[in-house]
Amino acid sequence: MRFLRRNADEAAETTTTEDVSAEVTSADPSRTPGKGRPTPKRREAEGKRRGPVPPPPRTQREALKRARGNKVSKEERRAAAVERRQRMMAGEDKYLLPRDRGPVKAYIRDVVDSRRNLMGLFMPLAILVFVALIVPAPAIQQYATLLTTFMLLAMVVEGFVLGRLVNRRVRLKFPNDTTRGLSIGWYSFIRASQLRKLRVPKPRVNPGDKV
């Protein structure tokens, strides 16, 4: 019974306090009611607004970027682009395109780069055909067409043989790899059909090296 009386007294006091607050507010409209919690300090409010403190810079370039208010100049963007290009050409996996990433693709490139492929003449052959079509000489155009046909057939045969060879070596070196054989063969064909100096990333092995 004492508990019930105590609860009733507390409820009555709460109701009386709320009534008094309402009367004071209605009597003085310009008065702002209390928030019911202490006002935070200025330092705490600024800390919540700014968020967590960023980690310290790891490189001098990052520190310089923060010092300038995250404003990157053209020279810095150009230097960053050159650095990314150099690392991509060096074969760093982080900077490569998704199609070139992984140890399997690196091994395929090494196998292809260690061979002298007839398919590497594909681009010069295309230029030769273009020049032959411009020259107004039917005999030259005829010989160029025959040469192009034989070269293309030889490249197709070589690409097929190279694809089977690379597939067999990849399965032996990476038995748990799930890459499809058609994908491996096509990647090998595209790599072999490019000029050696234009291959990205650059070849790590020389022709004739053992891989």
Side-chain angles (χ1 to χ4, degrees), residues 70-145:
N70 295 330
K71 292 182 179 179
V72 184
S73 62
K74 293 183 179 179
E75 289 76 11
E76 290 177 344
R77 289 197 298 268
R78 188 178 297 109
V82 171
E83 183 180 1
R84 288 196 301 270
R85 175 71 178 178
Q86 291 177 350
R87 294 192 175 188
M88 181 178 65
M89 295 300 293
E92 293 190 24
D93 205 64
K94 179 181 177 181
Y95 297 90
L96 294 177
L97 296 176
R99 66 182 182 185
D100 298 325
R101 294 175 183 172
V104 176
K105 297 299 181 62
Y107 179 73
I108 293 174
R109 291 194 298 269
D110 290 342
V111 173
V112 174
D113 296 336
S114 65
R115 297 169 53 89
R116 289 183 175 86
N117 304 291
L118 183 64
M119 290 180 291
L121 300 176
F122 179 79
M123 294 182 64
L125 181 64
I127 297 175
L128 177 62
V129 172
F130 179 75
V131 173
L133 293 177
I134 296 177
V135 176
I140 295 179
Q141 294 180 359
Q142 183 177 3
Y143 287 123
T145 303

Side-chain angles (χ1 to χ4, degrees), residues 6-208:
R6 184 178 179 182
N7 292 337
D9 295 339
E10 291 177 355
E13 290 178 2
T14 304
T15 306
T16 304
T17 305
E18 292 176 355
D19 294 339
V20 172
S21 300
E23 290 177 2
V24 173
T25 303
S26 60
D28 189 5
S30 62
R31 185 177 179 181
T32 305
K35 296 181 294 183
R37 55 183 175 85
T39 303
K41 296 181 180 180
R42 182 177 181 182
R43 183 179 300 176
E44 296 177 357
E46 290 180 354
K48 292 181 179 180
R49 184 166 56 251
R50 293 176 182 175
V53 179
R58 294 175 295 179
T59 60
Q60 185 177 1
R61 180 176 299 173
E62 186 176 355
L64 182 62
K65 185 186 298 184
R66 292 187 183 181
R68 294 183 179 180
N70 295 330
K71 292 182 179 179
V72 184
S73 62
K74 293 183 179 179
E75 289 76 11
E76 290 177 344
R77 289 197 298 268
R78 188 178 297 109
V82 171
E83 183 180 1
R84 288 196 301 270
R85 175 71 178 178
Q86 291 177 350
R87 294 192 175 188
M88 181 178 65
M89 295 300 293
E92 293 190 24
D93 205 64
K94 179 181 177 181
Y95 297 90
L96 294 177
L97 296 176
R99 66 182 182 185
D100 298 325
R101 294 175 183 172
V104 176
K105 297 299 181 62
Y107 179 73
I108 293 174
R109 291 194 298 269
D110 290 342
V111 173
V112 174
D113 296 336
S114 65
R115 297 169 53 89
R116 289 183 175 86
N117 304 291
L118 183 64
M119 290 180 291
L121 300 176
F122 179 79
M123 294 182 64
L125 181 64
I127 297 175
L128 177 62
V129 172
F130 179 75
V131 173
L133 293 177
I134 296 177
V135 176
I140 295 179
Q141 294 180 359
Q142 183 177 3
Y143 287 123
T145 303
L146 292 175
L147 177 62
T148 303
T149 303
F150 285 119
M151 290 288 289
L152 288 177
L153 290 175
M155 290 179 184
V156 170
V157 174
E158 185 186 34
F160 180 77
V161 174
L162 178 64
R164 290 180 61 87
L165 172 66
V166 175
N167 262 288
R168 185 169 61 252
R169 297 187 63 173
V170 168
R171 301 308 179 197
L172 290 175
K173 189 173 182 64
F174 303 95
N176 297 327
D177 182 67
T178 58
T179 307
R180 295 184 303 172
L182 183 62
S183 177
I184 295 175
W186 179 251
Y187 188 78
S188 305
F189 179 84
I190 295 299
R191 180 77 175 180
S193 62
Q194 297 172 346
L195 292 175
R196 188 176 182 86
K197 293 183 179 181
L198 300 180
R199 294 175 182 177
V200 179
K202 289 183 178 180
R204 300 184 300 182
V205 297
N206 297 319

